[in-house]
Every structure is written in C-alpha cells, then in structure tokens.
Amino acid sequence: MGRTAAPAAALSALALLLGGCAVTPSADNAAAVDDDAPLGGSITIACGAMEDWCQAMVAAFTEETGVDADFVRLSSGETVARLGAAKASPEFDVWHGGPVDGFGAARDAGLLEAYESPNAAAIPSEYRDAEGYWTGVYVGALGFCSNQAVLDELGVDVPTSWADLLDPRLKGQVSTAHPSTSGTAFTTLWTQVTRLGGEEQGLEYMKQMHNNVLQYSKSGTAPGQIAGRGEVAVGLVFSHDCVKYQEEGMTDLVVSFPSEGTGYEVGGIALVAGSKNKTAAQAYIDWALTAEAQDIGPTVGSFQILTNPDAVVDPRMVELDEVDLVDYDFAAASAAKPALTARFDAEIAAAPKE
C-alpha cells in the first residue's frame, strides 16, 4: 500500500490546482486559466456512488473553493432520465460516479458536453472517452455478495459461477437491481450478453435467473444490504460495495466471482450540457481526477480501484488481474441499453415466476 489517503491532502492539492482562478475551456477544448473569472456560485452534482462518498467529495470541494456544491444521489438510469427531462434547463452541472454505460447513453442523447480536463492526461486511456465526454475516476468488478449463514441453512456452497445462481435451492434467494434504473444491474445483463454471445442468449439466462430473484431493487447497491441482513442468500453488486458492508459490520458476507467471467464498471465523471456554472463545474472535474481527491474514497469505506496512477492502493481493493473479466464493450453496451432494458422490462421483469 502506498500513501495514506486523507481528505486534508485533497484540499491542499485543490488549493494548488485552482490557485483562486477559474478553469475555462479554450478553443481546442483543453483547459485554460481565466484570471478574470474567479470561482463562485453553486453547482449540483448528480452522484452515482455511495451517499457518504458523494458527501465527502462535495464537502471537500466546497471547503477549499467556496463554491456551494451539493449533490443528489441517483442511480444511473435515474440520472439519464432526470437529465433528459430537464434538458432545456438542467438541474445538474456534473455527473460524478456510476458506470459509464449510462454516460454513453447520456452522451448519445445530447445530455453531456465534451470537456477534456488538463488532468485527464494522467488517467489511462482505457478509462477515458475518446471524444472527451467522460473520464473514469474508479473501476469496480461485478461479483457475488453472499450471506454465508443463509447459504449454510440452505445447504448451498458459496457461488463461483453464473450457473450456480440457477440452482433451484436458491428460489427467492437472489437479489439484483433492475437494469432500467441501475447501472450495476445493466452491467449484469450486458455481462450475460457478452459471455454468451448475443442478446437473445443473454436474455435467456436472465429469464432463467428470474425464478430465483426475490425482487428487483431500484438501487444497484441495495442487493448487498439485503444479503447482509439475511433476507436473501446472494446479492449481485460490484465487489467493493460488498466489502464496504463487511467493514460496516455485516460479517456474514463473503465475496466471490464467477469462473465464466464477469463484467466490470468504469465509474465516470462528466460535464452536463447547459451547466449554469460551467467554470466551477469544470474545476470540480479537474479536481476529481487528481490522486488526492480520489484518495478520499477509502476514508469513507469506498474501495473501488482508483484510476489516477498516483492514488492510494488499499489492500481491500480487488486485484483485477486475479478476476476473470469478460471483454466488456462500453460503447456497444451504451448503444444497446435503451432497447435491451425495454426488452428486459417486457419479457422478464413483468413475467410471472414459475
């Protein structure tokens, strides 16, 4: 493990980064310093990560800059819907956190504005949109968050494959979110499409798993809590969310990954088209890409892999090279999302269980 993460360090770095000046876009879409436009006013963040993570981020930014930053915690599908509904007069300035499949859908709908932060160059290219519409701030692997005590009562081993989730003994014992509202759940759906070779095959697997699903939650993190409370045996979440619940006292939880391969997320940050305070919004994005800002995550129990190479490495973060990952195509996932989630609604979520 490298350095120790601390919000104070993030604040110091922010002071150096901004220096009391605003960051505004230049003609070539890079950032330029405008001494005549000091930061001020307010911004609102659509935040797709955990509530305490969101709170820590906006509080640190506000403390150092004086910009009144606030957030609304929304799942990925909710964010796209809210951005679309308020397109003529946006209620948000920045979207921070949540899988970039949703960011791609928002980009395609004209809801995001390209912005190439000067700090984006530090982020590996595989975690950046080629046209500058979003930049990755963290990475997480989709996994199984199981309650060992419940599994023991059922006489079922900790799942280590997608096939294990179809076990009849797990009827009503699997919790997952709805892919129309949750980026986590859409990652689950697209993982099946990818590993099985097509949309029809992916939907067929989800139809089979439907019989074992207790209910489809709105939030992608909720299944981990549901499993932690012993209401189901298995929750489908990004593994760092399960680790967070373990750290918070849900000690029956265990993390495992499917042997056939699993999907992963790149959690993004983007400028909302039509932001009412673009200067401050761009400054927030610049700051969020620094190692010091990203280091705030582990201090509030968020153990995603961080995209800035200089950010802290915490031993509770998953080692991606130890997990079998599918070849997850974020661009294809974004393009397919509207039609695929509509099919899930009609063909799976609304269907009776056997």
Side-chain angles (χ1 to χ4, degrees):
M1 177 171 170
R3 298 170 291 109
T4 300
L11 296 177
S12 298
L14 183 56
L16 292 173
L17 173 67
L18 298 176
C21 299
V23 181
T24 56
S26 63
D28 62 358
N29 202 35
V33 175
D34 182 358
D35 293 320
D36 297 324
L39 289 177
S42 64
I43 56 173
T44 303
I45 316 299
C47 192
M50 288 286 193
E51 187 96 8
D52 49 6
W53 183 92
C54 301
Q55 181 60 51
M57 290 293 176
V58 300
F61 183 75
T62 293
E63 183 176 344
E64 183 58 42
T65 65
V67 175
D68 183 11
D70 200 358
F71 75 93
V72 178
R73 201 285 168 192
L74 296 169
S75 62
S76 180
E78 290 176 307
T79 301
V80 175
R82 292 267 293 259
L83 292 177
K87 185 175 182 179
S89 182
E91 59 180 317
F92 301 112
D93 301 280
V94 175
W95 184 359
H96 192 190
V100 296
D101 308 31
F103 284 66
R107 175 201 59 208
D108 295 345
L111 304 175
L112 302 180
E113 180 177 332
Y115 172 60
E116 187 176 347
S117 167
N119 294 330
I123 310 301
S125 60
E126 61 265 34
Y127 302 140
R128 289 184 274 135
D129 178 62
E131 297 178 350
Y133 281 93
W134 55 261
T135 307
V137 293
Y138 61 73
V139 182
L142 184 68
F144 304 146
C145 185
S146 302
N147 188 303
Q148 185 68 67
V150 177
L151 289 174
D152 290 344
E153 291 175 5
L154 296 171
V156 177
D157 293 334
V158 172
T160 57
S161 75
W162 291 109
D164 288 345
L165 299 189
L166 307 182
D167 188 330
R169 292 175 295 176
L170 290 178
K171 184 174 179 61
Q173 292 290 338
V174 175
S175 180
T176 183
H178 197 298
S180 290
T181 60
S182 162
T184 304
F186 184 75
T187 301
T188 300
L189 174 55
W190 191 253
T191 295
Q192 311 316 316
V193 171
T194 301
R195 74 180 184 89
L196 295 172
E199 293 188 8
E200 298 302 327
Q201 297 92 321
L203 287 168
E204 179 57 35
Y205 173 84
M206 298 300 288
K207 288 177 184 177
Q208 294 178 53
M209 191 177 72
H210 177 67
N211 288 322
N212 285 353
V213 173
L214 176 64
Q215 61 184 18
Y216 295 100
S217 64
K218 182 174 70 173
S219 166
T221 62
Q225 294 175 309
I226 293 169
R229 293 193 298 264
E231 297 171 26
V232 297
V234 184
L236 302 185
V237 296
F238 290 116
S239 64
H240 53 258
D241 291 330
C242 195
V243 173
K244 179 178 177 64
Y245 297 137
Q246 288 173 327
E247 293 288 316
E248 292 176 350
M250 292 181 168
T251 55
D252 285 331
L253 291 176
V254 293
V255 176
S256 60
F257 296 96
S259 57
E260 309 97 322
T262 193
Y264 63 100
E265 69 165 336
V266 175
I269 191 167
L271 177 66
V272 174
S275 165
K276 296 180 176 65
N277 192 348
K278 188 184 295 186
T279 297
Q282 290 172 332
Y284 181 91
I285 293 170
D286 296 343
W287 170 72
L289 298 178
T290 66
E292 290 79 9
Q294 292 186 13
D295 283 348
I296 292 174
T299 72
V300 291
S302 290
F303 301 108
Q304 296 97 325
I305 301 160
L306 303 172
T307 59
N308 190 302
D310 293 327
V312 66
V313 176
D314 189 287
R316 289 164 290 190
M317 296 173 180
V318 66
E319 294 280 354
L320 282 184
D321 58 4
E322 296 179 2
V323 179
D324 291 321
L325 300 175
V326 299
D327 185 14
Y328 200 100
D329 187 327
F330 291 98
S334 297
K337 188 171 186 177
L340 192 57
T341 53
R343 288 192 63 186
F344 183 92
D345 286 339
E347 299 174 26
I348 299 174
K353 295 174 182 176
E354 297 177 1

